[in-house]
Each structure stands twice: as C-alpha cells, then as structure tokens.
C-alpha cells in the first residue's frame, strides 16, 4: 500500500491537514485569506514612482483586488539591474495602502530588514530565492505578521513544507503558501506552472494557497489562462503583476498586465471564482472546520 501523506511528510506534521485539525484562515485588515472570499493581490513587480504605484493601486482596487503588491527590496538575478527603492518604496506602498484601503504585501529579503518592512507591510513576502533562508523565516515569523511563503523555484513540496513548519513552530500560524512556477527541463517559458501542487496543497495542508501566474510563465499573454487554471485547481487567491505601462516597467515588464488586461483577466475569472464558492459550500459540511488564525 502507498504510504500516507502523514507518513510521507512526517517531519512537518504541523503543516498537514488531518482529523481534528481546522483549516487556517489568515486575517488581514478587514478580510481574510483562505476563507470564502477569493483574494486578489495585484500591483507592479517593483515600486518605481508615486504615480506608477498610486494609479495601479486605484485601478486594481476598483477591479476587485484586496491587496497591493510591489517590491521595495528586489532580489534581482543581475547586480546591474534595478534593486528597488528600499525605504522610499515602503513609504510609497504604505501611502498607497492608506489612500485605497488595500492591504500591502511586499518582499523582505534580509532578516536585518524585517522590523522595518513589518512597520509598513500588512503581509511579509518571502521570495522564491529566500524560501530556505531559515534565519529570515524565523525573524519574519516573530513579527506575527501574515507570511506569504513563495515556493522556491527548485523546491519540492517537502522543502516548502519544511519552511512552512519553521514559521509555524516559531509561533506564527498565519502562513499563506504560494505556487509561482518551478524550474524543469522545459525552458520555453520562464518557469513551469505546477498547478497540480495547488490541488495537492489544498488537499493535504490546512494552509491557504495562492497562485502567482506572472512569475510562473513570464509572459503576459499567458497570465490570464494560468490564473484561471490556478483558481480551478483550488487556489484561494492570486498574486499578479500589473503595471500602467508594462513595456516601460523597471522589472518583469514582459509578464505584467496593463490595466485593460487586468480588467479582462478579472472578468474571465468570475465563473471560476463562483465555482470555487459553490464547491466550498458543498464541501464545508464534510471538510475540516474553519479556524481563524491569530491576528
Ligand atoms: C516577485 O514577486 O516580484 C518575485 C521576485 O517573486 P519570486 O520570488 O517568486 O521570484
Ligand atoms: Mn516580479
């Protein structure tokens, strides 16, 4: 007989769903991630200017997003690429959050920056390249801010679970898992979107799961299709890159949607989100009960 998921992932028991264990719902401002509401997090890859960020924030808010994303500390593969605005970017994010009512998610790359980023962000993003930086995970966990944990581009599900377990063990129950594409032999697109992992994570863990279709493919023409696949696979939300003028973006322009593209994607998601809602209603009676994470 095949080993159970409990046996397979025995070293990370706190991550797994199981009898008597409730689904985690992560509270953020006036909404939560992992509950009935589907949560869209949208915004530019990098915070560039006040106008770029504010116009994007207002637009994505009107189109239904709850969270504004934007990098102030950027993990760039080249030392010659734009590295982010740092503190100035954090301030712009907080101001855009104030102006729109959107929550803020932004990446923290170094444990030294954790207290600073936690002062400005509602959700701390641990990037793909940092998923196995355990000191950073512990430091971020200690802030008690919700943690958006992105799967490393070369991380297995077991590796992702080890990182999630560290955050949970550090006393922070508010972990959101994010599938953002992995490296495989297929190099035509930026990454390979592992939609099966979303379905699996929703089945065997109690944590919310979101999909990042932007980094998963690197091509804005494919982002809406991947977003729909993510929702159909059971994702509780999306993390999507949006820019007022993607061709001029300082990072990840190729995969960023413009405003019209974002609107069209959101419309096309409606039936998939409705299906998710119906499925939640149907399964609520038989599935694990809901537990509100600690705010
Ligand atoms: C990002 O969200 O802009 C980002 C750098 O993501 P990842 O860590 O998944 O590459
Ligand atoms: Mn990006």
């Amino acid at each position: 007989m095949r080993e159970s998921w409990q046996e397979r992932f025995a070293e990370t028991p706190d991550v797994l769903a199981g009898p008597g264990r409730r689904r985690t719902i992560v509270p953020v401002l006036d909404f939560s991630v992992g509950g009935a509401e589907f949560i869209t997090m949208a915004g530019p890859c990098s915070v560039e200017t006040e106008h770029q960020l504010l116009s994007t924030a207002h637009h994505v808010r009107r189109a239904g997003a709850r969270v504004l994303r934007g990098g102030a500390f950027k993990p760039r593969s080249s030392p010659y690429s734009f590295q982010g605005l740092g503190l100035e970017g954090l301030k712009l994010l907080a101001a855009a959050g104030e102006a729109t009512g959107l929550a803020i998610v932004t990446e923290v790359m170094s444990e030294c920056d954790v207290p600073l980023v936690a002062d400005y962000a509602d959700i701390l993003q641990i990037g793909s390249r940092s998923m196995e930086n355990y000191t950073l995970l512990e430091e971020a966990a200690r802030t008690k801010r919700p943690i958006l944990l992105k799967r490393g581009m070369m991380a297995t599900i077991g590796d992702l679970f080890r990182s999630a377990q560290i955050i949970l063990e550090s006393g922070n129950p508010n972990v959101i898992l994010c599938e953002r594409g992995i490296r495989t032999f297929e190099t035509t697109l930026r990454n390979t979107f592992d939609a099966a992992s979303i379905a699996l994570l929703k089945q065997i863990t109690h944590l919310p799961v979101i999909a990042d279709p932007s980094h998963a493919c690197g091509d804005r023409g494919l982002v809406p299709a991947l977003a729909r696949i993510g929702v159909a696979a059971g994702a509780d939300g999306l993390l999507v890159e949006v820019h007022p003028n993607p061709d001029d973006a300082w990072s990840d322009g190729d995969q960023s949607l413009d405003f019209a593209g974002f609107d069209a994607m959101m419309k096309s998601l409606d039936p998939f989100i409705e299906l998710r809602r119906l499925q939640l209603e149907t399964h609520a009676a038989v599935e694990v009960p809901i537990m509100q994470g600690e705010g």
Side-chain angles (χ1 to χ4, degrees):
M1 202 175 77
R2 210 186 67 180
E3 65 182 343
S4 70
W5 297 117
Q6 269 70 23
E7 290 164 333
R8 174 82 179 266
F9 296 115
E11 61 176 346
T12 56
D14 297 344
V15 174
L16 298 179
R21 175 159 280 159
R22 291 150 181 240
R23 208 173 266 299
T24 293
I25 296 187
V26 174
V28 185
L29 299 185
D30 60 338
F31 60 91
S32 40
V33 183
E37 188 184 355
F38 184 83
I39 300 297
T40 301
M41 312 182 182
C45 178
S46 299
V47 178
E48 299 168 4
T49 66
E50 184 179 16
H51 179 258
Q52 170 242 19
L53 191 66
L54 257 184
S55 59
T56 308
H58 282 294
H59 190 90
V60 300
R61 172 72 168 167
R62 275 197 296 274
R66 287 294 214 152
V67 183
L68 176 65
R69 62 144 291 144
F73 294 94
K74 294 304 301 177
R76 303 308 301 283
S77 358
S78 163
Y80 307 109
S81 302
F82 174 59
Q83 305 293 314
L85 295 180
L87 176 59
E88 191 194 334
L90 294 177
K91 288 182 175 167
L92 290 174
L93 281 166
E98 276 287 301
T100 55
L102 290 166
I104 299 300
V105 61
T106 194
E107 176 162 357
V108 57
M109 287 172 59
S110 152
E111 71 257 28
C112 308
D113 295 329
V114 165
L116 178 74
V117 178
D119 269 352
Y120 291 89
D122 301 294
I123 304 172
L124 299 180
Q125 177 172 323
I126 302 293
S128 186
R129 292 159 192 79
S130 301
M131 191 204 82
E132 287 175 306
N133 182 341
Y134 302 129
T135 316
L136 172 63
L137 295 177
E138 283 167 3
E139 209 50 42
R142 270 197 275 276
T143 66
K144 296 285 197 276
R145 285 263 186 274
I147 308 287
L148 174 56
L149 179 63
K150 298 191 89 171
R151 179 180 179 185
M153 62 187 83
M154 286 164 289
T156 63
I157 300 281
D159 298 331
L160 177 66
F161 284 1
R162 265 186 291 281
S163 295
Q165 175 83 21
I166 284 170
I167 302 171
L168 298 174
E169 268 214 340
S170 308
N172 188 336
N174 294 314
V175 179
I176 303 163
L177 303 175
C178 178
E179 161 58 32
R180 49 77 72 203
I182 52 173
R183 287 199 173 156
T184 66
F185 66 85
E186 174 54 76
T187 55
T188 310
L189 299 173
R190 182 173 179 179
N191 287 296
T192 299
F193 184 42
D194 186 6
S197 78
I198 296 175
L200 179 66
L201 294 173
K202 284 303 296 177
Q203 270 185 28
I204 70 173
T205 84
H206 57 88
L207 297 169
V209 179
I210 68 166
D212 172 350
S214 309
H215 293 87
C217 66
D219 178 342
R220 77 179 75 117
L222 290 169
V223 166
L226 265 56
R228 292 191 292 273
I229 292 167
V231 184
D236 299 297
L238 288 178
L239 182 73
V240 188
E241 288 185 339
V242 181
H243 192 283
N245 193 355
D247 291 335
D248 294 336
W250 298 0
S251 61
D252 284 351
D254 288 346
Q255 66 195 36
S256 298
L257 297 170
D258 63 13
F259 293 169
F262 182 67
D263 291 350
M265 181 198 75
M266 292 297 275
K267 256 200 182 52
S268 81
L269 286 175
D270 280 345
F272 292 81
I273 293 172
E274 176 60 12
L275 204 60
R276 172 183 177 274
R277 195 185 62 74
L278 291 173
Q279 276 170 347
L280 278 180
E281 269 178 20
T282 317
H283 292 142
V286 285
E287 277 199 345
V288 282
I290 301 296
M291 176 180 70
Q292 194 82 16
E294 289 161 33

